[in-house]
Amino acid sequence: MDHDVLIIGGSFAGTSAAMQLARARKQVLVLDTGMPRNRFAAASHGFPGQDGQSPADIKARFSEELNAYPTVRFRDGAAVSTKREGSGFRVSLADGGDVAARRIVLAYGVRDSLPNLPGLAERWGASVLHCPYCHGYELNRQPVGVLARGEMALHQAMLLPDWGPTTLFTQGLVRLSPDETQSLQSRGVRIEETPVAELVGSGTALEAVRLEDGRTVALAGLFLAPITAPSCDIAAQLGCEMREGPTGPYVAVDQTQATTVAGVFAAGDLASPMPNATLAAAAGTMAGGSAHRSLIFDPDLRQHDGRAS
């Protein structure tokens, strides 16, 4: 085998997995397309020791730390297909090459699908946001909105008043029960039934949304739950079980980050219904350690594939 472990994805989860394996002196290849989900955000918040740093700078620092370990290599590129080969795997790459590894850690994340509204896409990660814990504090208690796409909007709207005066834009997609309406009103949430037609503001800043009836509502930030999907289909090719989360499918893993396919582990947004940088790094740490233990205690992958708990 070329490598002990192939890690597909080089952001927070993938590099955290690589660190554990590097310290176990395993031969590791990190395959990375350089297109992390958080590339649109200017800063990452709530990540201990990295609060306020740009995701690109955090990733570069992690990679620099890993470069101190002689058994870790990075390779630019995407995985396009994979198959089981003996007691390991062979992965074909977009550049025509292939890689063999005894174990695989999937950490390639998810891609976001956004509503088709004028002015929204260019503000994604700057003033159109998905996580109040990551970005709400910096809005300085200015007015914020929630753009409904499904039932997650109610959850977001209940949380957001702690960060600023909140308006829920139902977009004709959410029908609130009397109890839900009362709960929102008890939190001071304004409910707007007229759909948002466009976002307005200078550059990537948000100043207001314009409604279909021509009215404008002043906002400093607009929150929504994006529809997500895995960034590639490698997990599906391997036969990993998937689960349905609040925004889309994710890879099922057990408490050790093992998938339902023996020898394959997954971490980060790809393997969690709750995206978060700190949680991604923690899951990557577990996945790397679990892959190492698998090499020791199940070297020939004789344990039966099972279902993640």
Side-chain angles (χ1 to χ4, degrees):
M1 287 287 172
D2 299 341
H3 306 280
D4 292 313
V5 181
L6 170 65
I7 299 173
I8 305 177
S11 192
F12 299 163
T15 50
S16 295
M19 178 62 76
Q20 307 310 305
L21 291 156
R23 294 189 58 77
R25 302 185 185 276
K26 295 304 174 187
Q27 296 293 326
V28 179
L29 176 65
V30 180
L31 185 67
D32 188 22
T33 63
M35 298 287 283
R37 185 188 187 195
N38 58 19
R39 64 190 182 276
F40 301 103
S44 177
H45 292 284
F47 195 156
Q50 305 293 339
D51 189 56
Q53 302 299 309
S54 75
D57 286 347
I58 297 172
K59 181 182 175 183
R61 189 174 300 112
F62 286 177
S63 297
E64 183 180 352
E65 291 174 354
L66 280 169
N67 284 332
Y69 294 87
T71 61
V72 178
R73 290 198 306 114
F74 288 85
R75 181 168 176 174
D76 296 332
V80 294
S81 65
T82 186
K83 62 181 179 180
R84 184 78 164 262
E85 187 176 79
S87 59
F89 305 87
R90 185 164 294 276
V91 179
S92 298
L93 309 181
D95 62 10
D98 61 15
V99 175
R102 298 172 64 197
R103 300 293 182 271
I104 293 178
V105 175
L106 305 175
Y108 51 76
V110 298
R111 61 177 181 271
D112 296 308
S113 175
L114 302 174
N116 185 22
L117 282 177
L120 190 147
E122 57 265 39
R123 292 178 172 84
W124 179 238
S127 54
V128 177
L129 309 158
H130 77 282
C131 174
Y133 295 101
C134 301
H135 305 290
Y137 186 86
E138 283 63 40
L139 294 173
N140 294 320
R141 296 183 175 176
Q142 298 178 85
V144 296
V146 176
L147 189 74
R149 304 189 79 190
E151 295 305 317
M152 274 290 291
L154 177 62
H155 178 76
Q156 288 182 309
M158 286 293 291
L159 290 176
L160 274 164
D162 284 352
W163 285 275
T166 301
T167 300
L168 170 61
F169 300 93
T170 66
Q171 297 297 96
L173 299 174
V174 176
R175 303 296 180 190
L176 299 172
S177 70
D179 286 346
E180 289 171 336
T181 299
Q182 183 177 3
S183 294
L184 289 166
Q185 291 175 342
S186 72
R187 290 280 287 155
V189 177
R190 176 189 170 201
I191 300 168
E192 177 58 67
E193 301 285 354
T194 303
V196 172
E198 67 173 324
L199 283 65
V200 295
S202 177
T204 60
L206 179 64
E207 297 171 8
V209 294
R210 182 171 287 113
L211 307 182
E212 287 185 354
D213 62 9
R215 289 180 294 131
T216 59
V217 179
L219 295 177
L222 183 65
F223 288 80
L224 58 86
I227 296 172
T228 59
S231 293
C232 72
D233 66 351
I234 293 298
Q237 291 183 35
L238 288 164
C240 298
E241 180 185 338
M242 306 294 292
R243 291 184 180 150
E244 194 64 31
T247 65
Y250 64 97
V251 177
V253 294
D254 66 12
Q255 67 273 17
T256 71
Q257 301 300 132
T259 72
T260 53
V261 176
V264 180
F265 304 83
D269 291 359
L270 175 67
S272 172
M274 182 177 177
N276 178 277
T278 308
L279 295 178
T285 298
M286 176 63 77
S290 297
H292 175 235
R293 289 188 290 275
S294 173
L295 291 168
I296 297 169
F297 296 110
D298 188 23
D300 300 320
L301 288 183
R302 291 179 178 174
Q303 293 181 6
H304 296 294
D305 293 350
R307 296 182 65 83
S309 60

